[in-house]
């Protein structure tokens, strides 16, 4: 647990922490596929949804440096598709825009807005994500003082780099910050190793991973108790 004073800031993972991502990416890809079929018809002659997925997986193997930048990876695969089908960069950016619009059509869990409303009076609030969701594109953005993404800093959780960037952005030392997330390896492990407090938001009641030693953290099934937990952290 943090060793210094009271908690002054809290950061949140986004996907599966503040909203359920299940089916969101699939719907966004289907919307992009329909857009490409209408505007760039040669694409559908060569690539269906499954072929696009296989291409992204193959490019992830060919370009491991892009794995932490999911936006760059998706653009790179679209660029390969455009080249194959005889289209230019305009297709890449147009299709990526359509995908990102769908990717941000998320529905926050019911406990998110009430919790953020309660916390904003007492803490600086940040978003800390390995994905390419931008909380400021959502209505939830009004609750956040800062955000940090793996795409932006070139490092993904559990790397200390992304947690360090969050502390710098908040202007608060790690011992006075708590990170909340649904992933044990990226969220809990990363926060604890950097000296932040960690809350494992275990909405699905998953067991602690067998391959990881038990780490100091608080486990919650939802966010409703988080304000009380933070208030009595020490």
């Amino acid at each position: 647990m943090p060793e210094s004073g009271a908690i002054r800031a809290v950061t949140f993972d986004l996907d599966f922490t503040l909203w359920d991502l299940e089916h969101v990416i699939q719907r966004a890809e289907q919307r992009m596929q329909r857009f490409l079929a209408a505007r760039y018809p040669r694409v559908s002659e060569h690539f269906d949804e499954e072929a696009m997925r296989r291409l992204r997986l193959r490019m992830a193997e060919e370009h491991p440096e892009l794995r932490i930048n999911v936006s760059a990876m998706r653009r790179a695969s679209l660029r390969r598709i455009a080249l194959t089908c005889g289209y230019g960069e305009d297709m890449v950016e147009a299709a990526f825009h359509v995908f990102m619009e769908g990717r941000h059509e998320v529905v926050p869990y019911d406990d998110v807005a009430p919790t953020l409303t309660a916390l904003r009076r007492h803490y600086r609030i940040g978003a800390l994500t390995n994905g390419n969701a931008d909380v400021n594109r959502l209505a939830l953005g009004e609750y956040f003082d800062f955000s940090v993404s793996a795409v932006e800093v070139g490092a993904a959780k559990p790397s200390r780099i992304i947690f360090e960037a969050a502390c710098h952005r908040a202007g608060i030392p790690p011992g006075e910050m708590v990170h909340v997330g649904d992933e044990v390896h990226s969220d809990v492990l990363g926060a604890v190793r950097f000296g932040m407090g960690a809350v494992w938001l275990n909405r699905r009641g998953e067991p602690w991973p067998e391959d990881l030693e038990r780490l100091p953290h608080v486990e919650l099934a939802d966010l409703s108790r988080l304000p009380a937990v933070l208030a009595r952290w020490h």
Side-chain angles (χ1 to χ4, degrees), residues 5-232:
I7 298 303
R8 298 166 56 202
V10 55
T11 57
F12 290 89
D13 172 56
L14 297 180
D15 296 328
F16 295 111
T17 296
L18 300 187
W19 54 72
D20 190 349
L21 194 64
E22 190 173 1
H23 306 310
V24 172
I25 298 297
Q26 182 182 19
R27 287 196 301 268
E29 290 177 344
Q30 289 171 347
R31 177 184 294 185
M32 184 183 71
Q33 192 87 19
R34 291 193 297 270
F35 168 80
L36 288 170
R39 290 281 299 276
Y40 301 92
R42 290 196 297 275
V43 171
S44 57
E45 297 174 6
H46 296 84
F47 295 91
D48 58 14
E49 190 174 338
E50 178 59 23
M52 287 187 178
R53 187 189 70 83
R54 291 197 302 269
L55 174 61
R56 287 195 302 275
L57 292 175
R58 187 164 67 250
M59 293 196 68
E61 295 177 356
E62 295 173 359
H63 301 281
E65 73 280 3
L66 293 179
R67 291 176 185 171
I68 63 170
N69 190 331
V70 289
S71 291
M73 177 67 73
R74 190 168 291 276
R75 278 192 171 101
S77 64
L78 285 169
R79 198 165 286 116
R80 181 78 63 86
I81 291 169
L83 181 63
T84 301
C85 299
Y87 294 116
E89 189 69 18
D90 61 313
M91 190 213 86
V92 175
E93 292 306 315
F96 182 74
H97 175 77
V98 170
F99 170 80
M100 288 299 287
E101 286 293 313
R103 193 260 185 271
H104 283 86
E105 290 186 357
V106 297
V107 179
Y109 294 113
D110 291 341
D111 56 10
V112 171
T115 299
L116 294 177
T117 298
L119 293 179
R120 70 186 306 189
R121 296 192 295 267
H122 307 287
Y123 308 95
R124 289 182 61 77
I125 299 177
L128 192 55
T129 178
N130 284 353
N132 59 355
D134 179 359
V135 73
N136 295 305
R137 294 182 61 164
L138 307 173
L140 289 178
E142 66 176 311
Y143 295 104
F144 287 81
D145 299 297
F146 63 94
S147 62
V148 182
S149 71
V151 172
E152 176 187 3
V153 302
K157 298 175 292 182
S159 169
R160 66 178 287 113
I161 294 174
I162 191 169
F163 290 96
E164 185 175 21
C167 289
H168 286 168
R169 196 147 299 174
I172 295 173
E176 298 175 7
M177 293 180 66
V178 167
H179 177 65
V180 182
D182 69 296
E183 286 283 343
V184 171
H185 289 88
S186 59
D187 293 308
V188 177
L189 176 62
V192 171
R193 282 184 173 174
F194 187 61
M196 293 171 61
V199 171
W200 179 26
L201 187 60
N202 188 10
R203 293 185 183 274
R204 300 183 180 183
E206 300 286 345
W208 184 265
E210 294 182 358
D211 63 335
L212 187 65
E213 64 176 315
R214 198 78 182 181
L215 299 169
H217 72 284
V218 172
E219 180 178 339
L220 296 176
D222 58 57
L223 290 175
S224 61
R225 292 178 50 236
L226 182 62
V229 167
L230 295 176
R232 63 173 189 270

